[in-house]
Amino acid sequence: GISFANTYAASGSVSLEAGKTLNGAAPAAGKFSFELKDKAGKVLQTKANDGKGKVTFDPISYKLEDAGKEFTYTVSEVIPTDEAGVTYDKSAYTVTVKVTDNGNGTLG
């Protein structure tokens, strides 16, 4: 007989961003660095701020098998040991991404 076999695949990504100020203004480009870590604490990416204080991490990609799962990341500033005169923000921000299948080949 005649048989039709279809396959379905979906993908998507998330782009995480942060902002940095120094004395209430944007710092010089590349002045500060930030880490994106997975749930286990493994550093996935390290990025520096741009001239407007914006920190942009590379997109994190997901596949269909990730649908229905949650992924937890932490973003924190890299604090050098030799920087005199600067008090660093020791905050660590937790970001949770829940991947859903939009039913149209994209993940949200």
Side-chain angles (χ1 to χ4, degrees):
I2 297 173
S3 175
F4 295 94
N6 294 355
T7 59
Y8 176 74
S11 62
S13 64
V14 66
S15 297
L16 302 177
E17 296 179 347
K20 176 66 180 177
T21 59
L22 177 63
N23 293 333
K31 175 72 177 162
F32 300 98
S33 295
F34 302 82
E35 292 179 333
L36 173 66
K37 298 178 183 177
D38 65 12
K39 188 175 182 176
K42 176 184 174 189
V43 177
L44 303 175
Q45 299 179 36
T46 302
K47 297 293 179 182
N49 64 281
D50 68 12
K52 295 182 180 180
K54 185 176 178 182
V55 180
T56 305
F57 292 97
D58 296 334
I60 303 168
S61 298
Y62 302 98
K63 297 178 182 177
L64 182 59
E65 54 266 21
D66 296 323
K69 296 179 184 175
E70 286 189 355
F71 297 86
T72 303
Y73 305 99
T74 304
V75 177
S76 59
E77 187 168 11
V78 175
I79 300 175
T81 57
D82 61 350
E83 182 80 23
V86 177
T87 301
Y88 282 81
D89 187 334
K90 295 179 181 177
S91 299
Y93 294 92
T94 300
V95 178
T96 302
V97 176
K98 183 173 183 177
V99 181
T100 57
D101 181 0
N102 295 325
N104 61 2
T106 63
L107 299 174

